Amino acid sequence: MPITIADVASRAGVSKTTVSRVLNGKGELEPSTAARVRRVIEELGYVPSARAVGLARGRAGVIGMLVPSLTWPWIGEVLQGAVDTVESNGYGLMLFTCNQGDQSMRQFANKASAKAFDGLLVIEPEGQLDYITELHGHGLPVVLIDDRELRPQFASVATTNRAGGESAARHLLANGRTRPVVITGTLAWGCTAERLDGFTAVYAEGGRPLPAGSVVEGDFSFETGRAVMRRLIEDGVEFDAVFAHNDLSAAGALQALREAGRAVPGEVAIVGFDDVPLASQTEPPLTTVRQPLREMGAAAARMLMAHFAGEPLPVEPTVIPTDLVVRGSTSASS
């Protein structure tokens, strides 16, 4: 059986708290008592776990991460960036999802109340920002990833959604695409509005304002992207380009165009958003606005690590820019 801190305390005739104080090097102790504890530690061969040392220092050695669902295609990249940074700093990661709705949030709240983690990385589940803000107000260090233009009262990492929409529009215009349609994400989200505003502004400045009916709300899903594109084709809408607000809905639109016999990119060019692995695997591969997903997760985790080392969390959002990745869905030569 492994030697525990309780075994050390029993042999030395002291409390577990006293052993922790010796391990941590803090607190006023009689020199003879500290020496006795250290002698027992050596005799028993006790090796404190990282968690025991962390608790002695007032930390759990664990970072919490709350995400809406692991089914979102870009969550894995953000998570990997966070995990790489957290683990390289000697911390563990405790992952929570909201797959079970209120039940999931109750479980998360119980862990938060028990101080099971030292800080929180969060991709906000819909409607939970007030609760996360409350946790931060009670002293929990929080960093929000993908702030959706919510501008919370605590640290956040964002990307350039408007600039991403602008780069998609400039690329399509440069390729002679003058009649685009847009399949948006959920309109209630700030990132959707920013992507749409950037795209439409560039076309308006180029003397090609988007007509009514060329912007259709989607929900970031493959099925909706395909359904919207089928409906536009059936309704006889004329278009020569598609800007979809994520790669999944862009792939759905691409599928519908192929089913209808429309050549991509010959007749219709397609641009997505995110640059998840799927984007390079479609036929043809998708041109897309790359979100720095892994970098966003890593940057958020670094903020918490720096905070634990004594640095204040930043007040202003940390913004990591998007960039356009050109592939075959917009250029036959790419």
Side-chain angles (χ1 to χ4, degrees), residues 172 177 179 229 233 239-242 250 253-271 283-286 328-332:
L172 290 173
R177 309 293 177 155
R179 302 187 311 276
M229 186 51 52
I233 293 170
F239 58 91
D240 60 6
V242 178
L254 174 60
Q255 178 68 26
L257 287 165
R258 290 173 64 90
E259 291 168 351
R262 299 283 186 92
V264 176
E267 296 179 69
V268 181
I270 302 180
V271 179
E283 181 53 46
L286 282 170
S329 68
T330 59
S331 175

Side-chain angles (χ1 to χ4, degrees), residues 16-324:
K16 290 189 290 184
T17 300
T18 297
V19 176
S20 294
R21 289 163 68 188
V22 172
L23 291 170
N24 196 37
K26 291 184 177 180
E28 295 292 332
L29 289 172
E30 286 289 334
S32 59
T33 300
R36 184 168 74 253
V37 171
R38 284 192 288 269
R39 185 171 63 251
V40 170
I41 288 172
E42 184 175 352
E43 290 172 354
L44 294 179
Y46 172 64
V47 178
S49 67
R51 177 170 173 78
V53 174
L55 289 172
R57 294 173 179 170
R59 292 206 181 118
V62 175
I63 298 300
M65 188 165 184
L66 177 65
V67 302
S69 172
L70 295 178
T71 61
W72 289 16
W74 54 269
I75 289 286
E77 286 292 302
V78 176
L79 181 59
Q80 191 63 59
V83 167
D84 289 345
T85 302
V86 166
E87 291 185 347
S88 67
N89 282 272
Y91 277 72
L93 188 77
M94 186 179 294
L95 182 64
F96 302 90
T97 74
C98 297
N99 290 331
Q100 303 299 319
D102 289 344
Q103 180 180 343
S104 295
M105 288 306 298
R106 282 195 295 272
Q107 292 173 350
F108 168 75
N110 288 338
K111 292 294 186 181
S113 298
K115 301 187 184 302
F117 42 85
D118 303 316
L120 179 66
L121 303 174
V122 56
I123 300 172
E124 188 237 344
E126 196 68 21
Q128 297 295 332
L129 185 60
D130 287 347
Y131 173 56
I132 302 302
T133 302
E134 181 182 342
L135 289 177
H136 176 260
H138 284 96
L140 179 67
V142 177
V143 180
L144 182 68
I145 303 170
D146 183 30
D147 68 6
R148 305 179 197 167
E149 306 302 320
L150 294 170
R151 298 294 182 259
Q153 301 170 26
F154 46 84
S156 64
V157 177
T159 192
T160 51
N161 284 293
R162 182 184 176 89
E166 291 172 349
S167 66
R170 283 193 296 268
H171 176 67
L172 290 173
L173 276 172
N175 280 271
R177 309 293 177 155
T178 59
R179 302 187 311 276
V181 294
V182 181
I183 303 174
T184 74
T186 305
L187 288 176
W189 290 4
C191 61
T192 296
E194 290 262 314
R195 293 171 193 180
L196 181 59
D197 288 348
F199 188 86
T200 55
V202 168
Y203 267 88
E205 290 165 5
R208 299 283 183 174
L210 271 61
S214 62
V215 177
V216 183
E217 182 176 6
D219 60 5
F220 295 114
S221 72
F222 178 95
E223 293 78 12
T224 297
R226 182 166 59 177
V228 167
M229 186 51 52
R230 283 175 171 171
R231 186 167 69 250
L232 290 171
I233 293 170
E234 291 170 358
D235 291 346
V237 175
E238 294 186 4
F239 58 91
D240 60 6
V242 178
F243 174 43
H245 278 190
N246 75 335
D247 294 334
L248 209 56
S249 55
L254 174 60
Q255 178 68 26
L257 287 165
R258 290 173 64 90
E259 291 168 351
R262 299 283 186 92
V264 176
E267 296 179 69
V268 181
I270 302 180
V271 179
F273 208 107
D274 287 340
D275 197 26
V276 297
L278 171 68
S280 62
Q281 297 163 4
T282 58
E283 181 53 46
L286 282 170
T287 291
T288 187
V289 179
R290 179 183 178 272
Q291 283 204 87
L293 300 168
R294 190 170 296 204
E295 294 92 327
M296 290 168 72
R302 284 195 299 270
M303 285 185 195
L304 285 183
M305 298 299 107
H307 178 68
F308 298 150
E311 294 185 19
L313 287 169
V315 176
E316 294 297 319
T318 295
V319 180
I320 306 176
T322 57
D323 60 274
L324 185 72

